[in-house]
Amino acid sequence: MALSATPYKVDINLTDLDRGVYETLRFTVARHPSETEERMTARLLAYVLWYSETLAFGRGLSDVDEPALWEKSLDGRLLHWIEVGLPDAERVTWCSRRAERVSLLAYGRVDQWESKVLPSVASLKNVHVAGLPQEALATIAKDLPRAINWAVMISEGSLFITDENGQHEITPQWLLRDR
């Protein structure tokens, strides 16, 4: 018997001072049975970092032809493809051919990945890469509740997250281009 996805109720009060975005976001997101809490948290951070009204979660781990998040135009063009994790250069190149813009929120062993993969994709003009500090991500992801209630403020590139465990600051390091 296959394991089913775990639903999470998410309530985020987003204040993005860098882009002038002020939204109250309420949605349900599914966590794939093989997805870690860190990857789930990285997807949520990517969602607030690149939030737009048309940004949607893809099937991600369930379908390799879809990203973690994406934004499509009304005529079906792929405007923004967002990956999380440490994909290989072939995957990043494949994604860059399908969307006008590709963003990657890398986490894990970013230092090792960066030296191996980043030089191969640096010439792709539509690819933007940010790395998450592992300790900060692990702290936010630890014991992620099924009802997530965050207040997120983004200022000068840093994310300030308030949840039931307190306040956290996470500053993505831009490895290729910027937000």
Side-chain angles (χ1 to χ4, degrees):
M1 175 195 266
L3 297 172
S4 61
T6 304
Y8 284 74
K9 297 284 185 185
V10 181
D11 189 353
I12 298 175
N13 184 358
L14 175 61
T15 303
D16 186 340
L17 299 174
D18 295 346
R19 297 187 305 146
V21 174
Y22 309 93
E23 294 287 339
T24 299
L25 310 170
R26 289 185 177 92
F27 55 90
T28 300
V29 64
R31 179 175 160 202
H32 191 275
S34 66
E35 185 174 32
T36 65
E37 287 182 333
E38 286 183 359
R39 185 177 191 283
M40 171 80 167
T41 302
R43 285 196 303 141
L44 292 173
L45 293 175
Y47 186 78
V48 298
L49 195 59
W50 288 291
Y51 173 76
S52 76
E53 289 183 11
T54 55
L55 188 63
F57 288 93
R59 288 182 283 216
L61 292 174
S62 299
D63 186 343
V64 296
D65 289 338
E66 286 191 17
L69 299 137
W70 57 7
E71 181 179 5
K72 292 182 178 181
S73 68
L74 293 175
D75 63 0
R77 288 179 299 119
L78 256 169
L79 302 174
H80 197 177
W81 181 293
I82 301 171
E83 291 279 315
V84 297
L86 301 173
D88 59 24
E90 185 177 307
R91 171 73 178 181
V92 176
T93 302
W94 183 85
C95 297
S96 75
R97 292 181 182 139
R98 281 155 181 71
E100 293 178 16
R101 176 184 168 105
V102 174
S103 297
L104 168 63
L105 195 56
Y107 70 93
R109 299 301 309 248
V110 177
D111 54 340
Q112 292 176 358
W113 175 88
E114 178 183 6
S115 64
K116 291 179 185 175
V117 176
L118 214 50
S120 302
V121 299
S123 64
L124 300 172
K125 301 296 183 207
N126 65 336
V127 175
H128 305 254
V129 179
L132 289 176
Q134 189 59 36
E135 285 184 34
L137 177 62
T139 300
I140 296 168
K142 186 178 181 198
D143 301 323
L144 197 63
R146 295 274 304 275
I148 298 168
N149 188 355
W150 288 355
V152 179
M153 182 178 72
I154 302 173
S155 178
E156 297 179 9
S158 292
L159 288 84
F160 301 91
I161 302 166
T162 304
D163 63 12
E164 64 275 354
N165 296 321
Q167 295 179 340
H168 316 277
E169 179 179 351
I170 189 163
T171 304
Q173 177 188 6
W174 291 96
L175 306 172
L176 186 61
R177 297 179 191 81
D178 59 11
R179 184 160 73 144

